[in-house]
């Protein structure tokens, strides 16, 4: 009986103790301590945006200065005072099937443009023939004569021995709307590598970012692969109008109508193009005026010339900076004949800071004017017209038979000198 009572007592204690004990010895009728609040959910911080890559170092040097000792990087240099050749190009055709499709633009594109493939062949040819790029602004300089008058002088260039100087310029690097519909790149952009690329649409409407479909990144790429083609870091001078913006950005005002939204968009485009201009300048590209409205400077309309010049300086010069270079639209000389007379149009343009005035001709002609501080010069033009009909004139640079892509161009024949 005692054993039974003892067993019952033990069982009773086992049932009661859990309810009366706890880690903090709390009594059963006291509230339990509050449970700790659930841990706040941690929202991961967004990753820091990747900093743009440090630009690759790019050296621009002065061809007017002989390297110390006459040798640089194992290459001997020598004084050069001969002819400086000058070739100019328009934007190049990325998609010939859009340019040469039988529409109203086809003939003009065939006359004045070359294709990507033709451009690359020309680059290889002038490189293999011993030409090296120089900046047009290094060929002539402004100084003063014995009487203290400002004058232009032709500089002695110090080139790698056996090499010949060559100026490149590109007209109308504005990417006009008609180009966008006919197989050209649409604009320049900065790629993830910080370099200048082109952006555009292929024939199917797909976006294409490339360094191979526009003459600006294509020349950059060629110099990277052949640095001895540009021993001083020079690339080309970009000849800009302004009436449809620059470099593919619509930075222009509209003379017909304007409002706050359009001005806001224009300012955004101006901001967007500034880093591209800076990178171009850093890597050897320079800028020149082609007038704001691609106007005819031989018209004698001084009011129009002055208004146009002011607009170029305001809308384009404010972005690319001062330039001494003016490229004549249509190759048309101010006052009818700028190398025999200095008329009011030429005097006005010179007063606005222009010193080197470039037209178009059959040779790389240049002449330092004696009555005013200025140089006039002509440029040669590799394009469909000269590829077809002026083979002999360009043989010092390339043979048109090796360059012209007759498979993609319209069948318009070639000149007699092709049979020579």
């Amino acid at each position: 009986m005692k054993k039974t009572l003892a067993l019952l007592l033990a069982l009773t204690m086992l049932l009661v103790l859990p309810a009366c004990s706890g880690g903090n010895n709390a009594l059963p009728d006291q509230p339990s301590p509050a449970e700790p609040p659930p841990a706040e959910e941690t929202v991961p911080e967004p990753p820091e945006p990747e900093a743009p890559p440090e630009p690759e170092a790019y050296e621009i040097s002065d061809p007017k200065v002989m390297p110390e000792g006459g040798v640089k990087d194992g290459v001997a240099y020598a004084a050069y005072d001969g002819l400086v050749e000058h070739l100019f190009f328009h934007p190049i055709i990325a998609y010939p099937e859009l340019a040469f499709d039988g529409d109203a633009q086809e003939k003009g594109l065939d006359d004045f443009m070359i294709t990507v493939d033709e451009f690359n062949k020309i680059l290889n040819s002038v490189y293999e023939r011993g030409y090296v790029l120089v900046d047009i602004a290094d060929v002539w300089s402004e100084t003063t004569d014995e009487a203290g008058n400002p004058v232009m002088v032709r500089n002695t260039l110090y080139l790698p021995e056996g090499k010949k100087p060559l100026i490149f310029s590109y007209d109308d690097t504005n990417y006009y709307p008609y180009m966008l519909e006919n197989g050209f790149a649409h604009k320049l952009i900065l790629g993830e590598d910080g370099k200048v690329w082109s952006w555009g649409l292929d024939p199917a409407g797909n976006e294409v970012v490339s360094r191979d479909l526009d003459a600006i990144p294509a020349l950059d790429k060629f110099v990277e692969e052949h640095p001895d083609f540009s021993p001083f870091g020079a690339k080309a001078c970009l000849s800009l109008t302004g009436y449809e913006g620059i470099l593919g950005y619509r930075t222009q005002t509209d003379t017909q109508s304007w409002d706050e939204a359009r001005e806001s968009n224009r300012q955004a485009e101006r901001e967007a193009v500034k880093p591209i201009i800076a990178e171009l300048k850093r890597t050897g590209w320079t800028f020149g005026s082609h007038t704001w409205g691609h106007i005819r400077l031989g018209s004698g309309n001084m009011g129009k010339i002055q208004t146009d010049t002011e607009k170029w300086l305001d809308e384009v010069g404010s972005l690319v900076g001062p330039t001494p270079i003016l490229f004549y639209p249509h190759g048309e000389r101010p006052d009818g004949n700028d190398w025999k007379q200095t008329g009011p149009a030429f005097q006005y343009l010179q007063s606005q800071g222009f010193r080197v005035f470039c037209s178009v001709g059959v040779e790389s002609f240049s002449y330092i004017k004696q009555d005013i501080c200025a140089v006039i010069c002509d440029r040669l033009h590799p394009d469909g017209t000269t590829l077809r009909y002026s083979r002999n004139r360009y043989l010092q640079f390339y043979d048109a038979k090796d360059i012209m892509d007759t498979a993609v161009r319209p069948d318009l024949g070639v000149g007699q000198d092709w049979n020579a």
Side-chain angles (χ1 to χ4, degrees):
M1 182 66 179
K2 288 181 180 180
K3 289 183 180 180
T4 301
L5 288 173
L7 181 58
L8 289 172
L9 181 60
L11 288 172
T12 302
M13 293 295 293
L14 286 173
L15 292 172
V16 172
L17 280 175
C20 297
S21 64
N24 61 355
N25 295 319
L27 297 175
D29 58 347
Q30 290 181 323
S32 300
E35 292 191 15
E40 292 185 12
E41 186 176 344
T42 304
V43 179
E45 290 287 331
E48 289 289 328
E50 290 187 18
E54 283 292 323
E56 296 177 4
Y58 194 86
E59 181 182 356
I60 297 176
S61 56
D62 190 346
K64 304 186 296 295
V65 178
M66 172 71 87
E68 186 176 350
V71 176
K72 181 181 179 182
D73 298 330
V75 176
Y77 281 65
Y80 182 91
D81 291 299
L83 176 69
V84 179
E85 298 283 7
H86 188 163
L87 299 178
F88 91 92
F89 305 85
H90 288 101
I92 58 176
I93 297 167
Y95 300 105
E97 62 268 41
L98 296 180
F100 306 128
D101 58 357
D103 66 6
Q105 300 282 358
E106 180 184 74
K107 181 63 167 60
L109 297 175
D110 181 72
D111 284 344
F112 302 121
M113 312 297 189
I114 61 174
T115 67
V116 166
D117 181 61
E118 291 165 344
F119 179 74
N120 289 332
K121 289 177 182 177
I122 289 172
L123 285 183
N124 276 293
S125 182
V126 294
Y127 172 70
E128 290 170 357
R129 293 171 191 237
Y131 287 98
V132 293
L133 294 177
V134 295
D135 184 349
I136 187 172
D138 287 331
V139 179
W140 298 276
S141 295
E142 181 175 351
T143 185
T144 54
D145 62 15
E146 294 178 355
N149 300 311
V151 293
M152 296 298 290
V153 295
R154 164 64 197 279
N155 298 312
T156 295
L157 303 177
Y158 297 95
L159 307 180
E161 283 188 347
K163 298 297 184 181
K164 300 168 288 187
L166 177 63
I167 298 166
F168 268 6
S169 56
Y170 294 176
D171 280 12
D172 300 302
T173 47
N174 302 79
Y175 305 85
Y176 303 130
Y178 85 85
M179 294 179 178
L180 311 189
E181 302 168 359
N182 283 280
F184 294 80
H186 288 210
K187 62 166 54 176
L188 299 179
I189 63 170
L190 292 183
E192 294 180 356
D193 56 2
K195 296 178 181 179
V196 175
W197 293 60
S198 71
W199 180 91
L201 302 176
D202 68 13
N206 302 306
E207 294 186 25
V208 178
V209 175
S210 174
R211 296 186 75 206
D212 300 313
L213 298 177
D214 182 87
I216 293 173
L219 181 56
D220 278 340
K221 189 174 175 182
F222 189 86
V223 169
E224 288 171 14
E225 296 166 353
H226 307 86
D228 55 329
F229 183 49
S230 183
F232 312 103
K235 298 287 178 55
C237 189
L238 303 180
S239 168
L240 298 173
T241 62
Y243 69 98
E244 287 180 338
I246 64 171
L247 307 179
Y249 294 81
R250 301 311 171 207
T251 57
Q252 79 277 12
T253 54
D254 188 327
T255 56
Q256 301 301 318
S257 61
W258 207 243
D259 55 34
E260 188 174 323
R262 289 177 179 173
E263 180 60 23
S264 176
N265 182 70
R266 184 176 87 92
Q267 293 300 330
E269 292 282 279
R270 284 176 62 87
E271 291 304 311
V273 79
K274 287 178 181 178
I276 297 160
I277 293 169
E279 179 62 11
L280 289 168
K281 286 185 169 184
R282 189 187 74 83
T283 53
W285 298 87
T286 59
F287 297 91
S289 171
H290 202 35
T291 76
W292 185 86
H294 207 268
I295 65 172
R296 292 189 175 276
L297 295 173
S299 67
N301 186 333
M302 285 302 300
K304 183 175 184 179
I305 291 172
Q306 291 174 358
T307 299
D308 180 275
T309 303
E310 291 169 3
K311 201 159 191 178
W312 191 93
L313 293 171
D314 178 52
E315 293 189 10
V316 184
S318 62
L319 289 169
V320 302
T323 176
I325 315 298
L326 177 65
F327 299 94
Y328 297 157
H330 314 284
E332 185 173 290
R333 301 177 184 279
D335 312 305
N337 192 332
D338 60 354
W339 62 279
K340 288 188 176 179
Q341 62 182 1
T342 303
F346 195 98
Q347 292 178 47
Y348 168 75
L349 293 166
Q350 193 270 357
S351 76
Q352 299 304 298
F354 299 114
R355 296 293 182 268
V356 181
F357 297 78
C358 303
S359 187
V360 181
V362 297
E363 61 180 344
S364 300
F365 157 90
S366 66
Y367 173 70
I368 296 176
K369 290 177 72 70
Q370 301 303 303
D371 59 339
I372 193 170
C373 183
V375 174
I376 58 174
C377 55
D378 280 1
R379 312 173 284 164
L380 292 166
H381 49 111
D383 54 26
T385 300
T386 58
L387 286 176
R388 288 183 185 280
Y389 306 118
S390 301
R391 172 175 171 257
N392 287 345
R393 191 192 308 161
Y394 288 78
L395 286 174
Q396 71 267 39
F397 307 110
Y398 54 79
D399 189 334
K401 288 183 177 180
D402 301 326
I403 304 298
M404 185 172 167
D405 191 348
T406 56
V408 301
R409 286 183 175 272
D411 184 10
L412 299 175
V414 295
Q416 294 182 349
D417 58 2
W418 269 58
N419 300 318

